[in-house]
Amino acid sequence: MEYETLDISVDHNGVVSLALDVAEKRNALSATMIAELTHFAKTAGDRPEMRVVVLSGRGKVFCAGGDLDWMKAQIAADRTTRMTEARKLADMLRALNDMPLPLIAKITGGAFGGGVGIACVSDIVIAEAGAKFGLTETRLGLIPATIGPYVINRMGEGRARQVMLSARIFDAAEAEKLGIVSKCCGADELDAAIDAEVLPFLDAAPHAVAASKKLAREMGTQITDAMVDDSIARLADVWEHPKAKEGIEAFFAKRKPSWAMPR
């Protein structure tokens, strides 16, 4: 399959460089990117030359969250269409979470909304010290629904509530304390930090790595079909609230929504 939004290469050691490659849109999650990430994650285990995946984002931001065109389309969509689109994102997250290869996220610039969701399905997350993070959905009158099971599973309920409710922006050091990030370091140290995480996997048996990842998923808190279905329904419910329409329209008009405090 040829990818439009991803740039993929594999080196002689089986290290996969998987880059989100729509820098002009801050690597926002479009329908095309969601489909391509899903396809990659579901087929990577069938390629024996691949040992470990390093996921990065081209340009200034790792991933800005949902694509603006997708958000506009949801304003006019009916409930069935919204749920169908939400399920595609949920399927992508599950495919990345279940991928038998280890997934290392390299976060530069920032990760917001769905970008935080991707971080939370990664096995290891190395972030540039200057990177910013945010679960920004409530500013728009929405909720971090489809990413919610993975975010809460990674962070724990108490820590997730510190940042999910307010939609505030936080730095990489706090993301590390919250459990999203494994390690943060200076921009000049980032590549060396990634290499240090990759190297041990090249000495481990691929089948044992895959089996260990599956063991951890199944022995830990499982994300069930019912949880995913519930998150999709909750997002559809919120999209139907008039405040969601107001929040999205305000965002595109570059004005504050009616509930925001004047400053």
Side-chain angles (χ1 to χ4, degrees), residues 108-143:
T108 56
F112 305 96
V116 176
I118 291 175
C120 288
V121 299
S122 299
D123 300 298
I124 298 167
V125 179
I126 308 297
E128 179 184 27
K132 300 297 183 183
F133 295 78
L135 293 156
T136 53
E137 287 85 353
T138 60
R139 289 186 185 180
L140 302 174
L142 302 174
I143 60 173

Side-chain angles (χ1 to χ4, degrees), residues 5-259:
T5 67
L6 308 177
D7 184 31
I8 303 170
S9 62
V10 187
D11 73 10
H12 65 283
N13 288 319
V15 180
V16 183
S17 295
L18 170 62
L20 309 181
D21 194 20
V22 193
E24 66 276 13
K25 291 192 173 183
R26 303 201 307 163
N27 299 313
L29 290 164
S30 64
T32 301
M33 183 180 286
I34 290 169
E36 291 182 353
L37 281 169
T38 303
H39 179 270
F40 173 83
K42 287 185 175 181
T43 59
D46 299 329
R47 297 181 60 176
E49 75 274 17
M50 293 184 174
R51 300 282 298 274
V52 55
V53 179
V54 177
L55 174 61
S56 62
R58 293 278 166 77
K60 296 181 178 180
V61 175
F62 171 73
C63 179
D67 178 73
L68 298 182
D69 290 335
W70 181 87
M71 291 175 65
K72 285 180 179 178
Q74 301 317 303
I75 294 175
D78 58 23
R79 182 181 179 88
T80 299
T81 301
R82 289 171 179 161
M83 291 183 71
T84 298
E85 292 303 304
R87 185 169 296 281
K88 291 175 183 177
L89 177 59
D91 288 346
M92 180 201 80
L93 292 165
R94 172 164 279 185
L96 288 169
N97 192 56
D98 293 353
M99 184 172 64
L101 276 65
L103 178 62
I104 301 173
K106 175 184 178 182
I107 297 184
T108 56
F112 305 96
V116 176
I118 291 175
C120 288
V121 299
S122 299
D123 300 298
I124 298 167
V125 179
I126 308 297
E128 179 184 27
K132 300 297 183 183
F133 295 78
L135 293 156
T136 53
E137 287 85 353
T138 60
R139 289 186 185 180
L140 302 174
L142 302 174
I143 60 173
T146 48
I147 66 173
Y150 303 96
V151 170
I152 295 168
N153 193 32
R154 172 63 66 89
M155 298 169 64
E157 179 193 344
R159 289 184 294 185
R161 285 165 62 169
Q162 294 177 40
V163 289
M164 285 178 66
L165 280 62
S166 66
R168 66 179 175 83
I169 304 300
F170 51 99
D171 61 19
E174 185 172 359
E176 185 175 4
K177 292 178 182 178
L178 290 168
I180 300 169
V181 168
S182 311
K183 179 181 180 180
C184 58
C185 57
D188 58 341
E189 303 171 308
L190 201 56
D191 289 338
I194 293 290
D195 290 344
E197 297 293 344
V198 166
L199 192 59
F201 288 112
L202 303 182
D203 290 326
H207 77 283
V209 172
S212 295
K213 182 171 179 175
K214 184 177 181 183
L215 175 70
R217 288 199 330 270
E218 294 180 353
M219 292 294 184
T221 302
Q222 293 194 43
I223 296 172
T224 64
D225 290 343
M227 290 171 64
V228 173
D229 290 346
D230 184 52
S231 72
I232 292 168
R234 287 173 189 263
L235 182 58
D237 290 343
V238 172
W239 268 105
E240 290 171 2
H241 195 286
K243 286 294 192 336
K245 186 174 186 293
E246 154 70 5
I248 298 296
E249 289 178 347
F251 177 78
F252 285 115
K254 297 183 179 180
R255 61 172 173 82
K256 289 187 177 296
S258 59
W259 59 80

